[in-house]
Amino acid sequence: MIHFNHVSLKYDNKTTALRDINLHVESGEFVFIVGASGAGKSSIIKLLLRERVASGGSVTVNGINVSRLRQRQIPYYRRKLGVVFQDFRLIPEMTVYDNVAFSLRVTDTSNKFIRNRVPYILNLMGLAHKAKSYPNEISGGEQQRVALARALVNDPPIIIADEPTGNIDPELSYEIVELLQGINQCGTTVLMVTHEQEMVRRFGGRIVTIDSGQVVFDDVVPPDGRLAGVI
Ligand code: ADP
C-alpha cells in the first residue's frame, strides 16, 4: 500500500534528510515510525503528502507514484489520506460538528449523507456530547479526537498521524493510540510518527526507527518489549 523504494530527500540540494529509505507498509498494518528530533520523520510524512518530492527513488501510495502527480491531481490524492497533526489544526470559528462536516462539504457529498455520517463518527470517537462545542471549549485530548474524527469521516484507506500525542497529557495519549488501533482493527492502515519511545515500547507492534535519515530498525516487537538500543 505504501512503498518507499531507495528514497532520498535533499533540502535545497544541501541537507540530506533521507537516504536510501526502503519502507513497505501493507494494507491493514499499524506502523510506528520513531526517531529523535531531526532524524527525518517529518520528511517521510512530507513525501507521503506530496508536500515535497523525493530527490531519488520512488514513493508509491495505493498504486500511485506520488512524485509523478500533476499539481491539479494533488488535492484529490490528499483526500484519500486521513491526516492528523500534533497541533490538531481545527478551525476555531467552527463547532466540533462543523469541523468534521467541513471535510465532507468540500467534496460533493450530499447533505443527507453528512447528516448521518458526522454524528456516527462523533459517536465513535466519544464526542457526541461535544458536537456543539467550539475547539477552545474542549480539552486537548478531545481536540485531537475531533481531528481524528475529521480524518476518518471520508473513510480513507490510510491514516497518517504526525506526532498526534505531542500536545496532550500522557494518559490521554494512550487513549489516542488506542483509538488509532481500533480504527486499524476495522481495516484502515495506520502510520503513526512519534518520538515518545516509552509509549511505543508499551504498545509494541511494528516499529520503524529512523536515524540520520536512514531506517535503522524495522521489526515487530511485543508489547512492553525490551528495546534497549533500538528506539
Ligand atoms: P524529524 O521530523 O525526525 O524531526 P525532519 O524530517 O524534520 O526530522 O528533518 C530531517 C533533517 O532535514 C534535519 O536535519 C532537518 O534539519 C532538515 N530539514 C527539515 N526541513 C528542512 C527544510 N525545510 N530545509 C532544510 N532542511 C530541513
Side-chain angles (χ1 to χ4, degrees):
M1 183 158 246
I2 297 174
H3 299 284
F4 280 65
N5 282 308
H6 301 291
V7 171
S8 62
L9 176 64
K10 281 184 186 173
Y11 289 107
D12 316 323
N13 285 324
K14 286 199 298 275
T15 318
T16 302
L18 299 174
R19 57 189 93 215
D20 200 25
I21 296 278
N22 290 293
L23 175 64
H24 304 279
V25 178
E26 299 308 329
S27 177
E29 279 196 273
F30 187 112
V31 181
F32 282 117
I33 298 193
V34 302
S37 176
K41 305 181 298 298
S42 305
S43 298
I44 289 179
I45 301 244
K46 284 178 193 157
L47 292 177
L48 285 172
L49 300 182
R50 225 332 259 279
E51 288 176 6
R52 293 272 173 175
V53 179
S55 318
S58 67
V59 178
T60 313
V61 177
N62 246 342
I64 295 167
N65 184 328
V66 180
S67 305
R68 295 217 187 113
L69 284 172
R70 292 168 192 272
Q71 212 59 40
R72 62 183 164 77
Q73 295 173 314
I74 295 173
Y76 297 96
Y77 163 72
R78 287 187 185 145
R79 271 180 214 162
K80 301 255 185 284
L81 304 173
V83 191
V84 182
F85 298 99
Q86 178 170 3
D87 56 359
F88 320 136
R89 303 199 191 175
L90 301 176
I91 302 169
E93 300 79 20
M94 285 188 189
T95 62
V96 164
Y97 181 98
D98 286 329
N99 263 284
V100 177
F102 185 68
S103 276
L104 293 172
R105 289 189 181 128
V106 295
T107 61
D108 286 336
T109 314
S110 74
N111 283 332
K112 187 172 173 225
F113 183 85
I114 294 174
R115 280 198 301 272
N116 281 314
R117 179 79 178 158
V118 176
Y120 171 76
I121 294 288
L122 288 178
N123 201 27
L124 213 60
M125 293 293 114
L127 287 166
H129 60 301
K130 297 288 179 184
K132 291 182 180 158
S133 302
Y134 287 85
N136 67 359
E137 296 170 340
I138 59 177
S139 71
E142 286 166 342
Q143 288 183 58
Q144 193 56 298
R145 279 191 275 142
V146 178
L148 215 48
R150 182 186 52 189
L152 276 177
V153 77
N154 281 312
D155 199 16
I158 303 172
I159 294 271
I160 296 171
D162 188 2
E163 298 272 5
T165 60
N167 275 332
I168 50 188
D169 296 339
E171 318 88 74
L172 297 174
S173 299
Y174 284 87
E175 191 184 288
I176 293 292
V177 180
E178 280 162 5
L179 279 171
L180 283 166
Q181 290 194 327
I183 293 162
N184 171 250
Q185 273 151 21
C186 296
T188 309
T189 306
V190 177
L191 209 70
M192 174 173 162
V193 167
T194 181
H195 69 275
E196 293 177 61
Q197 308 184 0
E198 211 36 63
M199 188 174 63
V200 172
R201 268 193 204 111
R202 175 86 79 87
F203 280 97
R206 182 173 170 197
I207 298 173
V208 174
T209 309
I210 310 290
D211 185 20
S212 306
Q214 288 179 300
V215 174
V216 294
F217 178 86
D218 181 354
D219 213 340
V220 177
V221 301
D224 291 315
R226 287 174 184 277
L227 284 172
V230 170
I231 56 169

